Amino acid sequence: MNLNGIDACKQVRARTDTCFLGFSAGKDSVATWLRLREFFPKVVPIFHYWLPDLEFVKKTLNYYEEYFQTRIVRLPHPGLSQMLRYGSFQPPERYQICEWWGLDDADFREQCDFVAEDHGIDPANAWLAVGLRSADSVRRLMFFQKYGTVNERLCKFYPIAEYRKPDLIAAFEAARIKLAPEYAMMPRSFDGITIDYLRAIKENFPQDYARIVDWFPMVECEFYRAEVYNAKS
């Protein structure tokens, strides 16, 4: 089993000088970007937002754009359209409106293909780098054991598959790059309208929390649900 992300980068680089990066602004995607720039003249990062124009998210993306001197493409997270389509955290009077919109999903691969076409690249040769690591969990390790670090069918590859925590720290220190400030208050980079993130946003970014409430007026129910769950535990 080859878990060497360098070999994966070399294999893809032999086919193209441009790659796309699924960029979450989390530690793994930052480390992936650092490694990619060693091999690819052009890296096109794609960030999927859960809500547009959250200030704390914009500040983080602006920092990485300045550091890498590269524009980050911003696209809606597939989970956002799903939440709107299903009327998540919406009052009854809004539910029919959400249903009427008839929103369709575009998954990460499809969105990457759209961006590739904008850059004049054939989607069939649009390689997407993803910051997954085998050390994250047994499930991740089993994934790499089964599929390896290069997925020909999906045009995906995994540049830091072999990284462990010390490798991440060494990469960040060598590059003198910072992690997103929300790491100090959230379990990981912002990834969904759930209690783990909502509590931190409400306490630290009240204006952004108010924007979330504008989109999802009944989101406070998530706090009630957490209280009930904790009471039963």
Side-chain angles (χ1 to χ4, degrees):
M1 178 183 62
N2 181 11
L3 288 182
N4 193 326
I6 291 178
D7 290 343
C9 289
K10 289 179 178 179
Q11 184 176 333
V12 175
R13 178 65 182 89
R15 306 183 186 195
T16 180
D17 63 358
T18 300
C19 75
F20 300 86
L21 166 64
F23 186 69
S24 68
K27 64 183 187 306
D28 292 341
S29 64
V30 173
T32 300
W33 198 345
L34 291 172
R35 171 161 276 183
L36 288 174
R37 66 179 185 167
E38 299 175 14
F39 296 91
F40 296 90
K42 186 174 183 180
V43 177
V44 181
I46 303 172
F47 176 82
H48 295 89
Y49 58 79
W50 280 92
L51 280 182
D53 300 324
L54 294 178
E55 286 299 322
F56 80 91
V57 174
K58 286 200 294 185
K59 287 181 180 178
T60 294
L61 296 182
N62 289 342
Y63 167 75
Y64 288 122
E65 284 184 327
E66 182 177 352
Y67 179 90
F68 288 102
Q69 291 295 291
T70 302
R71 174 178 171 267
I72 298 172
V73 179
R74 292 145 165 87
L75 296 174
H77 195 288
L80 173 57
S81 62
Q82 290 176 3
M83 290 186 70
L84 292 173
R85 188 171 68 248
Y86 298 141
S88 300
F89 300 124
Q90 300 295 340
E93 63 270 19
R94 281 195 184 184
Y95 182 80
Q96 288 185 330
I97 297 174
C98 293
E99 190 177 35
W100 176 77
W101 281 341
L103 295 173
D104 292 326
D105 291 338
D107 63 25
F108 299 114
R109 181 67 250 178
E110 290 174 316
Q111 291 190 2
C112 179
D113 292 346
F114 297 153
V115 176
E117 291 176 350
D118 288 342
H119 284 76
I121 295 175
D122 182 358
N125 196 40
W127 284 86
L128 178 64
V130 181
L132 296 185
R133 297 185 298 117
S134 60
D136 275 348
S137 65
V138 173
R139 180 176 294 182
R140 288 277 175 86
L141 178 60
M142 293 175 64
F143 170 86
F144 284 116
Q145 288 175 335
K146 183 175 182 179
Y147 298 106
T149 56
V150 177
N151 188 318
E152 298 279 353
R153 184 177 65 85
L154 296 179
C155 279
K156 281 186 179 181
F157 67 114
Y158 305 91
I160 61 166
E162 80 281 13
Y163 267 26
R164 295 181 178 275
K165 186 175 181 179
D167 301 309
L168 294 174
I169 295 173
F172 300 148
E173 290 180 346
R176 296 183 178 179
I177 193 170
K178 300 176 183 178
L179 291 182
E182 49 265 37
Y183 262 106
M185 57 198 76
M186 298 180 187
R188 58 188 67 84
S189 56
F190 180 44
D191 189 29
I193 312 299
T194 61
I195 189 63
D196 289 339
Y197 305 107
L198 289 171
R199 185 178 287 117
I201 295 171
K202 187 175 184 179
E203 293 175 356
N204 297 279
F205 310 111
Q207 290 184 328
D208 285 330
Y209 185 76
R211 183 165 180 79
I212 292 174
V213 173
D214 285 342
W215 279 73
F216 301 103
M218 298 183 69
V219 75
E220 286 282 329
C221 292
E222 186 71 2
F223 291 87
Y224 176 73
R225 176 159 44 197
E227 290 179 5
V228 171
Y229 176 81
N230 291 333
K232 291 181 177 179
S233 298

